[in-house]
Amino acid sequence: MIQYVGVNDHQVDLFEGQYHVKNGMSYNSYVILDEKIAIMDTVDIHFTEEWLKNIHNILEGRLPEYLVVLHMEPDHSASIQKLLEVYPDITVVGNVKTFPMIEQFFPGLKLDHKLAVKEGDILDLGTHKLKFVFAPMIHWPEVMLAYDMTTKSLFSADAFGKFGALDMEEDWKEEARRYYIGIVGKYGLPVQNLFKKVAGIEIQTIYPLHGPILKENLNYYLDLYNTWSSYKAEEDGVCIAYASIYGNTKKAVEELASKLTCKVELFDLARCDMAQAISKAFQYSKLVVASPTYNNGVFPPVEAFLHGLVERSYQNRVVGIIENGSWAPTAKKYIEQYFANSKNIMILEESVTIKSSLDEASKKQIEDLAYNLTNN
Ligand code: FEO
C-alpha cells in the first residue's frame, strides 16, 4: 500500500529562492507499506516535524527498512539527517551520485546503512518491487525515478510536479507549465531521453514530488511534457512581452494586440511575474518583444526576460520586435543578438521602430507586423 506523508507549505515566500508561489507548495513524500517498508524521499527543512508525525501515524509502531532518495535538492532531502536520528537502522537507498551530495549537505553525517543502486536494479519490498530508472538532469545529476512494477506506479521525482499546495484548487496545466519551464525548461533533452527509456512501460499512477498524484488520463500529462521538452508550442498564439517607461511602447503593443485575430497575451515585464511571462513565451507559437532603448541596450526587465528564454533553450518560434528610442533606437539589434545562437528562431524582418511615440509610419509598421505574425 502506498500512503502519502507529504506536507503543504503556505509560508514559502520564494520557492527555490526565486519563484512566487501564490498558492504555496507541496513537498510530497510517500510510504510504501509492505513486508519491508520504504519511505520515498523526505521534505523541506521547515516541515520535518510534521512529516515525521505523518510517518509515525502511518507506521503504527513498525519500523521502516529503507529511505529511497530520488533527488537530493533540499526541498526533498533536508530532513534526511533527522529521519536517521529517529530511525537509525534505516538503509538509505541512492546511487553513486547521491551519496557524495549527502556528505556535502550533511557534513559529518555517518551513514551506517546504505545501498547504492544502478540503473535497472530492483528493490524488492515484498509485494512492491521498485525498479530504478536514472533521470540525470531532471533536474539534478543524481535524479532517479522508481517504477513499482506491481502497481505500475512511477515515482517521478520533480517530473510531473507543479507549484501550489495540495489543499488549494487551481488548474494543473498553468502552474505545471510555469514550474516545468522555470525549473526543468533547460533540460528538454534529458526529459526526451527519459521518454525513450520509459516508452513501453505501462504507467497507471504517477507519484511526483510536488503537486497532485496523477491517476487518470495520464496521456494528457505525458503529451504536455512531450510538447514542453521538445520545445514545441502548445498552441497558436502570440505572447507580447514588453516594457514601457512613459507608456508609448505600451500603446504600441496594445495597438498591435488590437490588430491580431489570434489568441494574444500581453506581459508588462517590469510588473508581471517573470516566470509566468517566460512560460507563456513557451506556450505560444509566436513572440513579440517590445523594448525602449536603454543605456545603449534594452530595458533591464526585457534583458532579464530574454536571458530567461535563452538559458532555457528557447527555440522553434516566430519572433517580432518593436523598438523605441528618442534619439538612437537600437533595441532591435540587441534583441536579435540574444537569439543569435538559438535554434530555429525566425525573426520577422518587418519590425517596428518608434521614435518616442507612435506616428503614421510606426503605425503602418505595426499593421505590417500584425499581418506577418498572422501569416507566418
Ligand atoms: Fe523539487 Fe529539484 O527539487
Side-chain angles (χ1 to χ4, degrees):
M1 190 197 300
I2 300 168
Q3 297 275 5
Y4 181 81
V5 289
V7 296
N8 287 316
D9 183 356
H10 288 289
Q11 302 162 20
V12 58
D13 61 341
L14 291 173
F15 178 66
E16 290 193 4
Q18 62 170 321
Y19 296 103
H20 292 277
V21 282
K22 66 182 189 308
N23 285 335
M25 201 67 206
S26 75
Y27 311 117
N28 299 345
S29 168
Y30 307 92
V31 169
I32 305 176
L33 290 169
D34 204 334
E35 289 167 31
K36 293 177 178 174
I37 295 173
I39 298 169
M40 307 299 287
D41 291 290
T42 81
V43 297
D44 181 89
I45 194 71
H46 300 96
F47 297 88
T48 306
E49 294 306 322
E50 180 183 338
W51 171 70
L52 286 170
K53 198 168 159 196
N54 291 345
I55 292 172
H56 176 83
N57 291 340
I58 292 286
L59 292 183
E60 295 181 329
R62 293 181 64 194
L63 291 175
E65 186 86 15
Y66 299 111
L67 168 67
V68 178
V69 181
L70 297 180
H71 184 15
M72 270 305 293
E73 193 163 12
D75 51 334
H76 311 295
S77 69
S79 301
I80 289 177
Q81 183 157 12
K82 190 71 183 178
L83 183 80
L84 295 182
E85 287 170 17
V86 178
Y87 302 106
D89 292 331
I90 205 165
T91 295
V92 178
V93 181
N95 60 57
V96 70
K97 291 186 177 161
T98 313
F99 294 109
M101 285 191 183
I102 292 179
E103 284 177 30
Q104 287 168 202
F105 279 110
F106 303 101
L109 175 66
K110 192 164 166 288
L111 291 186
D112 291 325
H113 314 282
K114 62 181 179 182
L115 174 64
V117 294
K118 298 188 294 300
E119 173 96 46
D121 280 358
I122 293 169
L123 185 68
D124 191 343
L125 302 176
T127 302
H128 298 266
K129 297 176 197 320
L130 299 179
K131 184 170 186 177
F132 293 98
V133 180
F134 284 21
M137 300 320 296
I138 309 175
H139 93 277
W140 279 20
E142 85 298 354
V143 169
M144 56 184 184
L145 315 188
Y147 176 69
D148 178 10
M149 299 159 72
T150 308
T151 60
K152 304 189 189 321
S153 302
L154 184 67
F155 293 88
S156 63
D158 272 342
F160 302 100
K162 67 182 276 295
F163 295 131
L166 294 184
D167 52 0
M168 303 297 289
E169 284 282 327
E170 63 181 8
D171 180 61
W172 187 89
K173 183 165 74 171
E174 289 300 310
E175 284 298 80
R177 181 196 306 110
R178 195 167 70 92
Y179 167 91
Y180 174 86
I181 297 298
I183 292 170
V184 193
K186 180 179 175 59
Y187 305 111
L189 188 59
V191 176
Q192 284 289 305
N193 289 338
L194 177 64
F195 266 106
K196 285 179 198 145
K197 272 193 199 177
V198 301
I201 294 178
E202 186 187 351
I203 300 169
Q204 289 183 353
T205 310
I206 295 175
Y207 292 89
L209 286 177
H210 302 288
I213 296 166
L214 306 174
K215 290 183 175 164
E216 286 164 10
N217 198 14
L218 291 189
N219 280 342
Y220 170 77
Y221 306 102
L222 292 164
D223 286 349
L224 278 171
Y225 256 65
N226 194 26
T227 299
W228 295 337
S229 59
S230 54
Y231 300 98
K232 290 179 189 152
E234 260 174 71
E235 59 183 307
D236 197 26
V238 182
C239 171
I240 301 179
Y242 72 96
S244 188
I245 303 172
Y246 292 107
N248 289 305
T249 309
K250 182 177 182 182
K251 275 187 193 152
V253 294
E254 287 172 347
E255 173 95 4
L256 175 66
S258 74
K259 295 188 179 313
L260 292 168
T261 50
C262 61
K263 195 169 172 189
V264 180
E265 287 200 59
L266 288 95
F267 294 92
D268 177 346
L269 298 173
R271 293 176 175 82
C272 72
D273 173 55
M274 187 61 77
Q276 175 75 341
I278 290 169
S279 78
K280 289 288 177 175
F282 278 85
Q283 178 180 346
Y284 293 113
S285 55
K286 292 158 193 171
L287 169 69
V288 171
V289 183
S291 180
T293 303
Y294 193 80
N295 287 340
N296 202 25
V298 292
F299 200 51
V302 179
E303 185 150 30
F305 173 74
L306 292 167
H307 181 79
L309 291 184
V310 171
E311 73 172 344
R312 290 171 177 78
S313 305
Y314 190 68
Q315 54 189 272
N316 303 327
R317 300 294 193 279
V318 172
V319 175
I321 297 175
I322 298 175
E323 63 177 353
N324 195 350
S326 291
W327 63 95
T330 52
K332 179 178 183 239
K333 183 175 76 176
Y334 294 100
I335 294 168
E336 286 175 339
Q337 281 173 2
Y338 263 96
F339 295 118
N341 296 316
S342 301
K343 276 191 214 161
N344 197 22
I345 292 288
M346 178 184 155
I347 296 182
L348 294 173
E349 280 177 30
E350 299 80 6
S351 61
V352 177
T353 297
I354 303 160
K355 292 199 89 170
S356 302
S357 66
L358 284 173
D359 60 7
E360 288 311 310
S362 51
K363 281 184 182 173
K364 173 68 172 61
Q365 288 177 339
I366 285 175
E367 261 181 43
D368 291 347
L369 179 57
Y371 176 85
N372 283 295
L373 283 166
T374 307
N375 293 289
N376 272 293

